[in-house]
Amino acid sequence: AQSVTQLGSHVSVSEGALVLLRCNYSSSVPPYLFWYVQYPNQGLQLLLKYTTGATLVKGINGFEAEFKKSETSFHLTKPSAHMSDAAEYFCAVTYSGAGSYQLTFGKGTKLSVIP
Amino acid sequence: DAGVIQSPRHEVTEMGQEVTLRCKPISGHNSLFWYRQTMMRGLELLIYFNNNVPIDDSGMPEDRFSAKMPNASFSTLKIQPSEPRDSAVYFCASSFGQGVSGNTIYFGEGSWLTVV
């Protein structure tokens, strides 16, 4: 079974500051990892994903995440926050392998950007 | 291109009433998912269809919930009878291929259900 823990249900940063959203996973098999963003009253949109290969993954809107197997982490970062980044962010995990469909989501981290 | 389309976007209903949520997946996608989002439990997978066939419905909370996918372009999630604890946002999502490991899931904007 897999699980995801997102540290901090709410994170506030100043505009222009570094964004760091933490995600730790638990999986008995090699994981595939995802970050999704949810803007108010909208569905989830994929930011980036790690499946295999390079452990530093770049996504949309300037976000990136690094898969660290030794730390079982997949933290999301962005060098400089923008007001439009204010949203809720979800980390998710599934097991590697064709046909895996059970995405396990974290509880989410709501990001506020202070002008 | 049109994304995943859900209706209704908002529904307020009285306890005991039947609720039907509808979903039109992205054309060409053959995997369809229904998720429920609540403050307490977060995002939970209710049911997964592949090629219109229910593959895993273990997340459906109880017999009051049922889902169908009569064809590749339409799915419904029905709650009968509805209860206040069913109040949540219900998301439909679709992807091409089997599963999510190599394929991007696209979410609809959700159906916000309130049962009073």
Side-chain angles (χ1 to χ4, degrees):
Chain A
Q2 54 248 17
S3 65
V4 173
T5 302
Q6 291 184 239
L7 293 176
S9 58
H10 287 86
V11 170
S12 291
V13 300
S14 298
E15 191 174 16
L18 171 71
V19 176
L20 170 61
L21 304 182
R22 299 180 186 272
C23 172
N24 288 89
Y25 69 90
S26 171
S27 178
S28 56
V29 297
Y32 286 177
L33 295 156
F34 305 78
W35 275 100
Y36 283 84
V37 60
Q38 184 179 28
Y39 297 102
N41 301 322
Q42 293 189 24
L44 280 74
Q45 180 183 4
L46 181 67
L47 270 180
L48 50 80
K49 65 180 178 183
Y50 168 79
T51 53
T52 58
T55 57
L56 182 62
V57 181
K58 295 185 185 299
I60 61 172
N61 301 339
F63 284 93
E64 62 182 36
E66 187 171 10
F67 169 59
K68 292 187 176 180
K69 184 179 178 181
S70 61
E71 298 178 7
T72 61
S73 69
F74 191 58
H75 302 330
L76 181 71
T77 60
K78 181 174 180 177
S80 176
H82 192 271
M83 295 298 294
S84 61
D85 295 326
E88 190 156 19
Y89 293 79
F90 294 88
C91 184
V93 64
T94 190
Y95 62 87
S96 59
S100 61
Y101 59 85
Q102 181 65 270
L103 261 182
T104 300
F105 286 89
K107 290 293 181 67
T109 298
K110 189 165 288 187
L111 176 66
S112 298
V113 181
I114 305 165
Chain B
D1 288 342
V4 177
I5 300 172
Q6 292 186 244
S7 64
R9 289 295 315 277
H10 298 272
E11 172 121 1
V12 180
T13 190
E14 291 185 345
M15 182 173 62
Q17 296 298 304
E18 178 179 293
V19 173
T20 299
L21 308 178
R22 298 173 179 80
C23 175
K24 177 178 169 55
I26 294 172
S27 178
H29 284 188
N30 61 344
S31 283
L32 184 137
F33 309 80
W34 281 100
Y35 283 88
R36 179 172 68 175
Q37 185 180 37
T38 61
M39 289 290 290
M40 290 293 293
R41 299 173 67 92
L43 274 155
E44 304 171 281
L45 177 65
L46 299 179
I47 187 167
Y48 163 57
F49 291 89
N50 184 251
N51 293 324
N52 312 336
V53 175
I55 303 300
D56 184 353
D57 65 355
S58 60
M60 297 286 265
E62 43 194 282
D63 292 345
R64 297 184 297 105
F65 286 69
S66 62
K68 294 182 180 179
M69 192 164 186
N71 57 61
S73 59
F74 184 66
S75 176
T76 59
L77 178 67
K78 187 175 292 187
I79 308 172
Q80 166 62 17
S82 58
E83 296 182 3
R85 59 193 168 117
D86 302 330
S87 298
V89 184
Y90 292 83
F91 288 104
C92 178
S94 71
S95 70
F96 175 74
Q98 187 177 8
V100 306
S101 56
N103 310 303
T104 299
I105 298 182
Y106 294 86
F107 283 78
E109 294 191 331
S111 291
W112 300 68
L113 174 65
T114 303
V115 183
V116 298

